[in-house]
Amino acid sequence: MTPAPTSDTVADRLRAVQELYDRGESISSLVERVREPGLGPAERREVDHEALAGPLGLRLDAAAKRGAARRREAISALRPYLAEVDARVKRDLPVGRRAGYHLIETRDPEELAESDALAKLAAAAAEPSRRVRKGLRWYADLPVEVDDKLLRLRKADLVPVTQIDDISWVGGRLRITGHAYLAGLSVRSRRFNRATVVLKGPRWLPRVTLRTRRIYYPEATHAAKEPGCNYDWAGFTAELHPFSLRWRAALRAVVRGGKRVLKRRHTVQDTTTWRAEIAIWSRMARATGPLRGPAIGRTERPAGLRVKPRWWVRPVWTSDKALQVVLQPTRAELTGVRREGDNVVLTGFIPGHPVTRGKARVGGHRMAAEFAPVEGGSEFSLVLGVQTLLKDRDARRLWVEPKGEPAAAVMLEGGEETRIIVGDREITVQGDRRDRVVVSGHKILPVIASAEWHDDALTLKGRYPDPDPGPRDLLLRHRGGLIIRVPLERDGEEFSVRLAPGAMPRFGGAVPLAEGIWSMSVAPPGKHGPAIAQARFDHAGLDGLDEERRTIDGRVYRFVATRYDVPVLVAAEDRPGDERSAAGVWALSRNFYPSERAKPLREAAVYVSSDGRSYSDSPRAIYEERLRRGDDGEHIWVVRDGAFVPPGSAELDLPGDIVPTVVREGSREHYEALARARYVISNGFLPPWFRTRDDQVCVQTWHGSPVKHIGRDLPHMRREPRPPVWHRQAVEVRGWDVLISQSPWASSVMRKAFGYEGEILESGYPRNDVLVGDREPAASLIRRRVGIPEGKRVILYAPTFRDYDRRNASVKLDLVDARRALGADHVVLVRGHAMQAFPHVPSLDGFAIDVTTYPDMADLLLIADVLVTDYSSTMFDFVASGRPVVLFTPDLDKYRSSRELYLDLESQRPGPRLATSPEVVEVLRSIDSVSARLADRYASFVRTYAPHDNGKAAARVVDHVFPS
């Protein structure tokens, strides 16, 4: 709910409606809850507005896409309710909601339910670029026939989109730089384009208008979400002189002080807060909104300016990232922190008149404090119990409450921060981003004191006074869940670590950090969960922290402190703006790609594996087979996010001098390659803008014979009307020229699941050729890369993902039990699925190895002596090796009801199927005898599901597709 509720009654009613929505209750249940009595007229209007704009509107959008029956249900529930809603409430709704509810009120219910008008309206209203001007006013361009007055853009539709990129003090003035625009209204020049930043203070206080000017800022266009709009001149810079705040605050202080004097109380220095808004006049449209959205890094922690002793002007951010400017006095400051036995004693100073009595407060806990008058003010002290602080997990601000006066936040005011070590925990007394004192007790945290770039490497140094002197790793954790460990060098309480973000080690090779934000923490090797200690950056070093971008081998890296003191490493590809913006992608797909598609084809082949994320699977096998034959045609690999560098003939120890071309996924070269290459070989769906030309050959190798339902067999694909992904799949499948299949059984399944009517080549999977015949010396090389000692028996545990539990990072196989039962001559490789949370794999002294990020599954199957899987297509691949397969299916009934399976795992399986981890471990102990007992079942499975995987599948594909 966007606006703040005005009463507890309203908040409770809206909360109840939201809970019903979150639980998936029907729209009639939501309407019934909204219509319940007990609200006054103003409260009723607020509840109606929030419900219609929020949960009811979202439920209507969902119903509009789900077919006539759902639309009919929504219309019947909303129509009588809308007749009761105040017309002013409906008028102030966003234009898409206004139009939708108008249709429900005025159109024939049955006709509206049978049509797709509501679905089209919902889709169009989500595109802010659909704006048209008629005369001097702006209207929404929506696919409905209604009065223009209903489509006129109002306050709810014209909300400024803002971001602040820099806040700094220049020559004693506060300079704010960023961009702001109205979504859908292009800003191509300074003409008819004004913006003014305004600070609004409490009640009657005169507002402050900042001197604001528009600046050229093309990054606003690149960062915009809507295509077809140009915001190059949406940038702005505004300046504020502190005097504008000081005289207003002084006027307010006179008024408030006079009131206190009349009540015979001491005057109190008070904080005055102004909220920042921006008013935009753009092409005859005007709108005002809060200035919000700090860029990551220094902008999140803007510095304050001391305007006189103990008086500061500070730009600050609210919890919803809106900008405020405060003129803040230091009414109390911290002077000392010391430990005395089982207590921590805090002392401070209150300037001004003498104070003899009062209280202190830590968070919400009020406690006794001692006050003593001294020259210039009063000193205070309070005692906190060490154990009490250590039990309290939350950081709490420190306040003092002199008797008869408002509470005063205790400020650090340039004092030193304190860390008190208590066993394996610590108590910290620090300043927050507004210099307010915060007291907390927690596990000992590593604090980074410096970050320096040397050439292509980042060196971090800091302090970590953990009493355990054992080894530690720096953990880089991606928002997607991937964790990369780098060993720390410890010297007592000091530590250092050196990172090369452009060449991070991975299984004997080096890859750049994936694009995104990488958080930092410290943990013992192989440990997860409670053992992890989040890193922080030393507050004393924040002002001098180098947060500038570093470009390394076509990638950009930044080390920044976000949320004030949380260190992160930001990685991104160094892409031109027209390749990463919505407008640029739109232009590339709608203009550049069609123009390239009209040009003659080149005798080139494009290889795409896992959307460009890896050099793997059947595209790899086909490529290497062509290189073995000396095919010196143009070979192009699509690479996403610098994930790999494809080898040439020299790296593969093959004759010739063939070097592949690399194109970055999403680049102009990527569009050009798919538009003009004769052959396209992929193991999955291609970009939605791609259309196979009549003279192109598109080879779809797919990524495995399916065990679980795929394509049109999935429940959501069977809905009426068909979802957009159904049509997207149908369009691409029509462009496939050859679909590679592993078996006749797989051919029939995929033909039905994809609605494919073209040629199927039952060649077997090229990726499985390596599993046939002698494993050495390739297996020895892979074992060294993975870190498996010689003589170990390798068990590969490779479960698939769970649609209903994708965030679960636990490993269902009990690795501790397996280690105890199997002994030191075994090693377990854990391979998580790309669509599941990265698994937490304990090392157990090298018994378990996480191989989730290993680039090619075929390599892991090659070195595995036993495969443990569940509903994964790897069971079809691994039987080509003749080695045992164990099915571990602890959630078979749930999985089968959720996803549905093509196989009956009771009668159609190559090995034992087990439901518990102890059963799996017991079978692994006697796997040879179990395999011998099930040899006939295994052979039958191979004949049915992998009859062509004999080591020659890649050759068959190359012979069939590529002319000699």
Side-chain angles (χ1 to χ4, degrees), residues 280-474:
I280 297 177
W281 293 265
S282 178
R283 300 169 62 194
M284 309 306 294
R286 183 185 186 280
T288 301
L291 202 55
R292 66 172 78 244
I296 188 172
R298 193 175 305 280
T299 308
E300 295 178 284
R301 51 177 199 280
L305 177 70
R306 190 198 300 263
V307 292
K308 63 179 182 178
R310 295 196 176 95
W311 277 91
W312 294 80
V313 175
R314 299 184 192 275
V316 299
W317 299 101
T318 65
S319 58
D320 62 346
K321 304 299 185 183
L323 179 64
Q324 293 182 342
V325 180
V326 298
L327 181 60
Q328 182 180 30
T330 300
R331 291 180 50 209
E333 62 185 83
L334 189 71
T335 57
V337 181
R338 66 182 184 274
R339 181 179 180 183
E340 294 182 355
D342 293 334
N343 296 316
V344 175
V345 180
L346 306 181
T347 59
F349 177 72
I350 301 175
H353 64 85
V355 176
T356 58
R357 298 175 61 187
K359 296 283 187 179
R361 196 171 79 230
V362 178
H365 303 289
R366 185 174 278 105
M367 60 194 64
E370 295 181 359
F371 294 82
V374 295
E375 184 179 352
S378 305
E379 290 182 344
F380 68 88
S381 65
L382 65 150
V383 178
L384 304 174
V386 169
Q387 295 305 317
T388 302
L389 290 173
L390 293 177
K391 290 178 183 177
D392 198 346
R393 296 183 179 180
D394 297 326
R396 299 184 181 275
R397 292 213 305 268
L398 177 62
W399 302 76
V400 291
E401 300 177 350
K403 185 173 178 59
E405 298 182 13
V410 179
M411 314 298 286
L412 201 59
E413 194 68 24
E416 291 187 2
E417 299 182 331
T418 303
R419 301 177 74 182
I420 301 173
I421 306 301
V422 184
D424 61 350
R425 297 176 66 78
E426 67 177 334
I427 296 170
T428 58
V429 182
Q430 299 176 305
D432 66 4
R433 69 186 71 194
R434 293 175 65 170
D435 200 43
R436 298 170 299 191
V437 172
V438 175
V439 183
S440 62
H442 45 73
K443 70 169 61 178
I444 297 175
L445 301 181
V447 176
I448 299 172
S450 68
E452 297 180 355
W453 290 91
H454 299 284
D455 298 326
D456 296 343
L458 172 66
T459 300
L460 305 177
K461 296 181 179 180
R463 186 168 178 265
Y464 185 35
D466 191 331
D468 179 1
R472 293 291 188 276
D473 290 340
L474 177 71

Side-chain angles (χ1 to χ4, degrees), residues 137-182:
R137 293 176 176 170
W138 284 91
Y139 297 83
D141 182 15
L142 298 178
V144 290
E145 296 181 4
V146 294
D147 192 318
D148 278 353
K149 292 182 180 179
L150 193 69
L151 300 180
R152 181 183 169 187
L153 299 184
R154 298 181 181 273
K155 183 178 180 179
D157 307 300
L158 296 171
V159 179
V161 177
T162 64
Q163 178 173 303
I164 311 303
D165 298 302
D166 183 61
I167 301 180
S168 56
W169 293 95
V170 180
R173 296 173 181 264
L174 181 65
R175 179 175 295 171
I176 305 171
T177 305
H179 63 263
Y181 57 85
L182 301 179

Side-chain angles (χ1 to χ4, degrees), residues 864-903:
D865 297 300
V866 183
L867 172 67
V868 179
T869 188
D870 45 20
Y871 322 105
S872 169
S873 63
T874 54
M875 71 170 76
F876 297 119
D877 300 325
F878 193 66
V879 295
S881 70
R883 296 187 288 276
V885 177
V886 176
L887 299 185
F888 177 30
T889 58
D891 54 351
L892 176 59
D893 292 339
K894 185 175 183 179
Y895 195 94
R896 191 159 43 197
S897 63
S898 169
R899 184 75 183 228
E900 300 186 62
L901 303 175
Y902 293 116
L903 282 185

Side-chain angles (χ1 to χ4, degrees), residues 637-918:
W637 274 93
V638 176
V639 178
R640 184 173 190 169
D641 197 20
F644 64 94
V645 177
S649 54
E651 291 85 354
L652 295 171
D653 294 327
L654 297 174
D657 189 22
I658 301 172
V659 178
T661 301
V662 174
V663 297
R664 179 168 40 78
E665 190 268 341
S667 65
R668 299 177 74 86
E669 294 77 15
H670 181 205
Y671 286 84
E672 189 271 340
L674 285 181
R676 299 192 58 194
R678 175 78 64 184
Y679 303 98
V680 178
I681 300 97
S682 175
N683 71 340
F685 290 122
L686 290 159
W689 45 263
F690 173 73
R691 296 290 184 271
T692 307
R693 295 169 56 165
D694 291 340
D695 45 357
Q696 271 183 320
V697 178
C698 183
V699 181
Q700 178 56 256
T701 70
W702 203 239
H703 45 268
S705 297
V707 177
K708 50 190 174 289
H709 279 198
I710 60 171
R712 294 183 177 183
D713 292 335
L714 291 170
H716 70 277
M717 297 285 274
R718 300 196 292 264
R719 290 201 309 253
E720 291 290 349
R722 300 299 190 192
V725 67
W726 189 96
H727 298 284
R728 149 99 173 83
Q729 176 182 293
V731 169
E732 171 154 343
V733 167
R734 283 197 295 269
W736 295 351
D737 294 287
V738 181
L739 174 61
I740 305 301
S741 171
Q742 196 173 12
S743 66
W745 175 86
S747 298
S748 63
V749 168
M750 290 195 291
R751 190 178 288 282
K752 174 178 175 292
F754 293 131
Y756 179 64
E757 300 177 355
E759 178 186 3
I760 292 182
L761 178 62
E762 290 178 2
S763 59
Y765 274 143
R767 69 186 187 185
N768 296 336
D769 287 353
V770 297
L771 304 180
V772 180
D774 184 16
R775 288 200 274 178
E776 305 299 337
S780 296
L781 177 61
I782 296 167
R783 279 194 287 265
R784 286 196 297 272
R785 287 178 187 164
V786 176
I788 302 173
E790 290 294 331
K792 298 276 190 178
R793 190 166 198 178
V794 179
I795 298 169
L796 175 60
Y797 177 46
T800 191
F801 66 96
R802 268 69 175 160
D803 286 308
Y804 50 83
D805 198 21
R806 293 197 183 192
R807 295 186 179 182
N808 192 337
S810 64
V811 178
K812 291 182 169 59
L813 183 64
D814 189 336
L815 297 175
V816 175
D817 183 41
R819 180 193 183 196
R820 177 190 54 78
L822 300 177
D825 60 339
H826 284 69
V827 62
V828 176
L829 308 182
V830 179
R831 171 77 168 194
H833 195 281
M835 297 177 69
Q836 186 75 21
F838 284 89
H840 290 167
V841 183
S843 174
L844 301 179
D845 296 325
F847 175 78
I849 302 175
D850 183 1
V851 292
T852 301
T853 59
Y854 191 90
D856 196 352
M857 182 66 171
D859 288 354
L860 302 177
L861 294 177
L862 178 64
I863 64 174
D865 297 300
V866 183
L867 172 67
V868 179
T869 188
D870 45 20
Y871 322 105
S872 169
S873 63
T874 54
M875 71 170 76
F876 297 119
D877 300 325
F878 193 66
V879 295
S881 70
R883 296 187 288 276
V885 177
V886 176
L887 299 185
F888 177 30
T889 58
D891 54 351
L892 176 59
D893 292 339
K894 185 175 183 179
Y895 195 94
R896 191 159 43 197
S897 63
S898 169
R899 184 75 183 228
E900 300 186 62
L901 303 175
Y902 293 116
L903 282 185
D904 177 4
L905 294 183
E906 292 301 328
S907 60
Q908 301 167 302
R909 50 184 170 84
R913 186 189 70 79
L914 307 162
T916 67
S917 182

